[in-house]
Amino acid sequence: MDFYNLVKMAVDKGASDIHLASGNHPAYRLHGNVIFTDDPALTEGEVTAVIKALLMADKFNTFMTVGEADAAVEIGDCGRFRANAFHQRCGTSIVLRVINSVVPELSTFNMPKAIRKTLELNAGLVLLCGPTGSGKSTTLAALLNEINKNKSRHIITIEDPVEFIHTPKHCIINQREIGLDCQSYANALRAAMREDPDIILLGELRDRETMSTAMTAVETGHLVFSTVHTEGAAKTIDRLIDIFPADQQQQIRVQLSTSLKAVISQRLLPRATGGRVAAFEMMFVTKAISNLIRENKTANIDQSIQLGSQTGMITMKKSIEGLLKQGIITAQTANCLLYTSDAADEARSVD
C-alpha cells in the first residue's frame, strides 16, 4: 500500500474519511458510502507503522498504553486530518477525517436563513447536534467565520483536536487543543473565563463537569457554542439533563430554560444527483419552549417547533419534505427518513 497516494486519491475524490484497519483492505468514505480499494488487506504491522509515522511520540505512547488516541495531523500537501487510532480484535486501526483547508462560508450551505439569528446573540448557549459525520463541526466553523468577518470579539475554541484553523480578521482568535494545549474541556473552560472571552466554542459537551462549567460561562455573560451527539432538540435537552443526578435535574432544567438559546440539529442526506446535502431542524428558545423545559414537558417541544415557523423554526420532517419538493433528494431517501421519524414520534407518544 502506498499510503500517501491512497490519501491523495481519497482527498481528490472528495472523501470524508479514510479507513486503515488490520485484516481489511484500505477504504474511504465517499458521499456516505464506504469504498474499498484494490490494495491487499492490511497487516497489523503496516497499520501500526502508519500510526507511528503520523502521531507525535507522546500520542503514540498513549495509543500503545491506553488503546486509543486522538490527534490532528498533516500529511504532505494532502491537508489536515482528525485522526483516531485504536486497538481492535484483529490488531490496530486508524480513521482519518478530512478537514477542509478553507474555513467554509455560511452562504455556500443549504442552511435556513434563520440560522443567522444565532450570530446576533451576545450571551447564551447554542447547540449543534446530530450523529457523527453530520457536519456539525463544519457548521460551527462557518458560524465563527461569519463572526470573525463582521464583529470585533475575542473567540476561544477548545477542541479535541483543533480542526478548522481560523485566521484572525476582525476578531482575536485563540484555539486550544485537548491534550496538547490543555488537559480537559472542563479545565480549559474554567481557565477561559479568566481570559476575557466574548465567545467560547467547545468541541463537545461530553460530561457533567463540562456541562456545569459551560452553564456558568453562559450565566456570566458569554456566548457558548458546542455540539452534542444527539438528534433533535427534545432529545438533546433530555440528554443534557439526564447526565445529572435526579436531585439536581430540576435545577438544570431551570438553568437551561434561561441559558439555552437555540438547538440546531442536522443530518447529511444523499443528493439525487450525487454528493450530499444537509437537512436541518432548527429550534429557538421562545418563552413557550422555555416553560416546557422548566416544567419537564420536552415531549411537547416538537409541536412548538411546528408552530414556530414564523420565527424561523423548522422541523426535520419539514426540511426533508422541502428537499424532496425541490428535487434535491429522491422520494426513496425522503420516504425512508420520514418513516423512521414517524415511528420515533409514535414511540415517544407511547412512552
Side-chain angles (χ1 to χ4, degrees):
M1 175 194 68
D2 187 323
F3 174 67
Y4 173 79
N5 284 335
L6 167 66
V7 172
K8 190 173 190 316
M9 179 270 295
V11 170
D12 288 345
K13 284 180 176 290
S16 61
D17 300 86
I18 300 164
H19 292 255
L20 304 179
S22 302
N24 283 278
H25 299 275
Y28 56 93
R29 186 180 294 276
L30 183 64
H31 305 324
N33 298 313
V34 172
I35 300 173
F36 288 96
T37 70
D38 294 329
D39 293 296
L42 297 164
T43 66
E44 181 176 5
E46 288 175 315
V47 178
T48 302
V50 169
I51 294 170
K52 187 174 184 178
L54 290 178
L55 301 186
M56 296 176 65
D58 59 334
K59 289 282 187 178
F60 183 74
N61 289 336
T62 298
F63 161 70
M64 294 299 291
T65 56
V66 177
E68 58 194 11
D70 286 311
V73 300
E74 293 190 22
I75 302 173
D77 59 356
C78 297
R80 298 181 70 250
F81 301 81
R82 186 181 73 196
N84 181 271
F86 57 97
H87 290 280
Q88 43 97 354
R89 186 180 62 84
C90 294
T92 56
S93 294
I94 186 168
V95 179
L96 301 169
R97 167 64 53 85
V98 180
I99 301 173
N100 291 326
S101 58
V102 178
V103 177
E105 294 286 341
L106 196 61
S107 59
T108 63
F109 292 104
N110 182 52
M111 290 183 185
K113 292 181 180 179
I115 197 171
R116 290 184 174 272
K117 291 172 67 173
T118 62
L119 303 176
E120 302 306 317
L121 295 169
N122 292 315
L125 178 63
V126 177
L127 297 177
L128 274 290
C129 59
T132 300
S134 60
K136 299 185 295 296
S137 297
T138 303
T139 299
L140 278 179
L143 289 171
L144 285 195
N145 187 47
E146 286 296 307
I147 296 171
N148 187 22
K149 290 191 302 180
N150 298 301
K151 297 189 177 185
S152 297
R153 300 288 188 268
H154 178 202
I155 300 171
I156 296 177
T157 78
I158 305 167
E159 304 170 75
D160 186 18
V162 169
E163 296 191 26
F164 292 94
I165 303 297
H166 292 270
T167 301
K169 296 171 184 174
H170 290 94
C171 291
I172 301 170
I173 302 180
N174 288 299
Q175 297 186 256
R176 307 191 70 197
E177 182 168 319
I178 303 298
L180 185 64
D181 305 309
C182 47
Q183 292 183 336
S184 68
Y185 277 118
N187 287 345
L189 184 53
R190 279 194 295 271
M193 287 188 284
R194 299 189 293 271
E195 294 159 0
D196 187 35
D198 298 293
I199 298 164
I200 302 170
L201 182 146
L202 281 173
E204 184 182 349
L205 286 180
R206 287 185 174 178
D207 51 43
R208 188 189 313 168
E209 185 180 14
T210 305
M211 176 63 184
S212 296
T213 313
M215 296 292 285
T216 301
V218 169
E219 291 170 347
T220 52
H222 301 90
L223 178 58
V224 177
F225 289 93
S226 192
T227 69
V228 186
H229 291 296
T230 51
E231 290 195 64
K235 288 182 180 178
T236 299
I237 293 167
D238 288 339
R239 176 78 163 281
L240 295 179
I241 293 169
D242 286 345
I243 65 176
F244 290 88
D247 62 342
Q248 296 179 25
Q249 290 182 0
Q250 184 54 37
Q251 177 189 346
I252 298 303
R253 290 189 189 97
V254 172
Q255 288 180 287
L256 273 177
S257 70
T258 57
S259 298
L260 184 63
K261 300 302 179 184
V263 178
I264 301 160
S265 179
Q266 65 184 80
R267 60 189 306 173
L268 294 177
L269 313 179
R271 285 180 178 269
T273 56
R276 293 193 289 176
V277 64
F280 292 90
E281 176 191 278
M282 195 160 298
M283 183 203 79
F284 299 105
V285 179
T286 60
K287 184 176 180 179
I289 290 177
S290 176
N291 289 335
L292 292 176
I293 296 171
R294 186 171 53 254
E295 296 169 7
N296 193 20
K297 296 180 179 178
T298 52
N300 296 330
I301 284 178
D302 288 347
Q303 183 179 6
S304 291
I305 296 174
Q306 293 175 32
L307 297 173
S309 58
Q310 291 185 341
T311 64
M313 290 194 269
I314 186 172
T315 64
M316 182 63 72
K317 182 177 181 180
K318 192 73 173 178
S319 180
I320 292 170
E321 290 173 344
L323 293 173
L324 175 61
K325 187 175 182 180
Q326 296 173 65
I328 297 174
I329 61 174
T330 65
Q332 181 180 6
T333 295
N335 290 338
C336 178
L337 292 166
L338 293 174
Y339 172 80
T340 302
S341 177
D342 289 342
D345 290 343
E346 290 179 10
R348 281 198 295 271
S349 67
V350 170
D351 291 341

